[in-house]
Amino acid sequence: MVAATPSKGRSTSVAAASRRGLSPWLAPSPGKRWTELFFLLYSPVWILWCLCILVPFKIYERLGTWGYNSLGPIAALPCVLLPPLLQPASERGKPLSQRFWVKANLWIAIYSFIGNYVWTHYFYRLLGAAYTFPAHRLNQVPITLYFMTHAYFCLYHTLSNMLIRRVRHAVAAYGSAAQAAAEALLVFALAYATAFGETLTIAHFPYYTFKDRSRMYSVGSLFYAIYFFVSFPMFYRMDEQPRAKPYTLWRAAVDALAAGMLVTCLLDFWRIGVGGIVEEGGQQQGGLPWLG
């Protein structure tokens, strides 16, 4: 499920970063490097008000439908609206379609939309999940989650990029096979840790429920990790090779759609081969016909 053999270009990116004296955590491309640092510095803002204020102090109890609807856009829209105001001069001089923050936001937007519109129904049916807070919905998924997922995934994929880059740099002297093996192990561990950590951190929000929470932490987190087994290495490769032709917006969109199709297949293989962790799914039973 993780990218197999790395190309020479991916090893070249490590060497290029070393020659420039960059930290092995940082991307060799200035635009990609700035975008990752922006996502990394912005993310604590929404995490602070969402997970450290809204949930612990139960402010969500005073939110109505429109209050919930506003949470996702408040977290996600700065990922799109702030870069044009804060981007460095090197990015400002490029056409909009060539700026990495535009491509990154498009990739994440497509992937997170597929995740909510399609994959959430696997959570309903196989993991016994349910969202019970008042909200307007699209395909039985609260619309606010389409936006909130974007904010989450911008952070997750920034961290995964930096960790993959650092690990590949650490084992570069041992050759491309060692880099591939190290990346595969990292992606597996990081994907599971990300899925488990997200499930754990929202445990105190009472309107996202599971029929069997203990199994959701263990088995359900592995199911959720499938999202990231695919997306972490796929997102990492975008504009990572300094000598390669930069991605176009079209290629970024196609890559995100391809990653989404692969995850859909893997989740459905799980449905057929493993099944759910509960006898009946969550309360929302509509959605994908092949889950009927």
Side-chain angles (χ1 to χ4, degrees):
M1 286 183 285
V2 180
T5 304
S7 65
K8 287 185 178 179
R10 294 180 71 178
S11 298
T12 301
S13 68
V14 174
S18 299
R19 286 196 300 269
R20 296 178 188 179
L22 292 175
S23 165
W25 298 92
L26 302 178
S29 163
K32 185 171 184 176
R33 183 164 63 247
W34 182 87
T35 301
E36 290 177 354
L37 291 174
F38 168 73
F39 286 156
L40 197 63
L41 293 174
Y42 164 67
S43 294
V45 176
W46 69 261
I47 290 173
L48 179 66
W49 65 257
C50 185
L51 298 182
C52 300
I53 297 176
L54 182 72
V55 174
F57 293 98
K58 298 185 178 182
I59 297 174
Y60 54 78
E61 296 289 5
R62 299 195 291 272
L63 298 177
T65 299
W66 285 104
Y68 276 106
N69 285 346
S70 69
L71 293 180
I74 289 172
L77 289 180
C79 296
V80 178
L81 299 179
L82 290 182
L85 304 177
L86 303 176
Q87 63 189 337
S90 60
E91 286 293 283
R92 199 172 293 119
K94 297 178 182 177
L96 192 65
S97 62
Q98 294 181 15
R99 301 175 194 180
F100 185 81
W101 64 264
V102 177
K103 291 180 278 190
N105 272 293
L106 176 65
W107 202 106
I108 295 295
I110 291 172
Y111 197 72
S112 57
F113 177 85
I114 297 170
N116 282 282
Y117 192 87
V118 180
W119 305 334
T120 300
H121 291 275
Y122 287 94
F123 274 65
Y124 293 162
R125 297 296 187 91
L126 303 183
L127 305 181
Y131 294 107
T132 59
F133 57 86
H136 293 108
R137 296 171 184 261
L138 175 62
N139 197 26
Q140 302 187 27
V141 179
I143 293 174
T144 193
L145 296 182
Y146 289 82
F147 291 93
M148 186 61 74
T149 303
H150 188 93
Y152 270 98
F153 281 13
C154 283
L155 173 60
Y156 294 166
H157 289 81
T158 293
L159 293 174
S160 68
N161 274 4
M162 299 178 81
L163 287 166
I164 290 172
R165 193 176 296 122
R166 183 65 184 88
V167 166
R168 290 183 63 84
H169 181 274
V171 300
Y174 300 99
S176 59
Q179 286 184 310
E183 182 178 341
L185 290 172
L186 171 68
V187 167
F188 181 87
L190 183 61
Y192 187 83
T194 300
F196 183 88
E198 181 182 321
T199 304
L200 186 63
T201 55
I202 61 175
H204 297 293
F205 180 61
Y207 301 117
Y208 180 41
T209 63
F210 297 96
K211 288 192 172 184
D212 188 339
R213 187 167 291 275
S214 63
R215 293 199 70 198
M216 178 59 204
Y217 285 142
S218 55
V219 181
S221 292
L222 182 60
F223 182 86
Y224 183 22
I226 293 173
Y227 291 26
F228 307 120
F229 291 159
V230 174
S231 69
F232 284 168
M234 288 284 284
F235 186 77
Y236 168 77
R237 73 193 193 118
M238 183 164 60
D239 286 0
E240 185 67 18
Q241 302 175 17
R243 296 181 182 177
K245 185 178 180 180
Y247 275 45
T248 62
L249 275 180
W250 173 249
R251 185 179 177 188
V254 169
D255 260 33
L257 290 167
M261 188 67 246
L262 179 54
V263 172
T264 302
C265 290
L266 294 174
L267 296 182
D268 214 50
F269 293 159
W270 180 298
R271 176 184 69 89
I272 295 169
V274 179
I277 63 173
V278 293
E279 291 186 5
E280 298 290 339
Q283 67 178 40
Q284 295 119 325
Q285 292 296 315
L288 304 175
W290 62 86
L291 295 180

